[in-house]
Amino acid sequence: MEIALFIAIMVVSVVLIALVVLQARTAGMANRDSSSIYRTKRGLEKTMHQATIALAGVFLVLALVTSLPLFS
C-alpha cells in the first residue's frame, strides 16, 4: 500500500505540474489585449482551472497521508 501511495503522489504531481504550465502558457498568449484585465474563464480554460484545484486537493491529502507515522 505504501508503494501505491508514493506512485499515486508522483503521478498526481506530474499531472499538476503539466496543468499549471499549460495554464501559464495559454493565459499569456490568449490575453494580448491590455484593456481587459478581468475576464471569465470558459470552456477548456475553466475545466483546466477546476482540474488544477481538484488535483491540488488530492495532492494535499496524499501528502498528508504519506506523512503519517505509519509510513515511516
Side-chain angles (χ1 to χ4, degrees):
M1 177 153 162
E2 181 179 351
I3 295 173
L5 282 173
F6 288 128
I7 291 173
I9 202 166
M10 284 190 288
V11 169
V12 168
S13 65
V14 167
V15 174
L16 189 59
I17 289 169
L19 280 173
V20 169
V21 167
L22 283 174
Q23 281 183 11
R25 182 177 304 160
T26 57
M29 292 181 167
N31 195 7
R32 296 274 182 190
D33 185 19
S34 62
S35 65
S36 62
I37 296 174
Y38 300 107
R39 61 184 182 87
T40 58
K41 292 179 167 87
R42 295 182 183 181
L44 182 62
E45 187 180 14
K46 183 178 181 181
T47 305
M48 286 174 47
H49 179 72
Q50 292 172 342
T52 303
I53 293 171
L55 277 176
V58 170
F59 181 80
L60 177 68
V61 169
L62 284 173
L64 290 174
V65 168
T66 55
S67 69
L68 290 174
L70 272 111
F71 299 110
S72 52

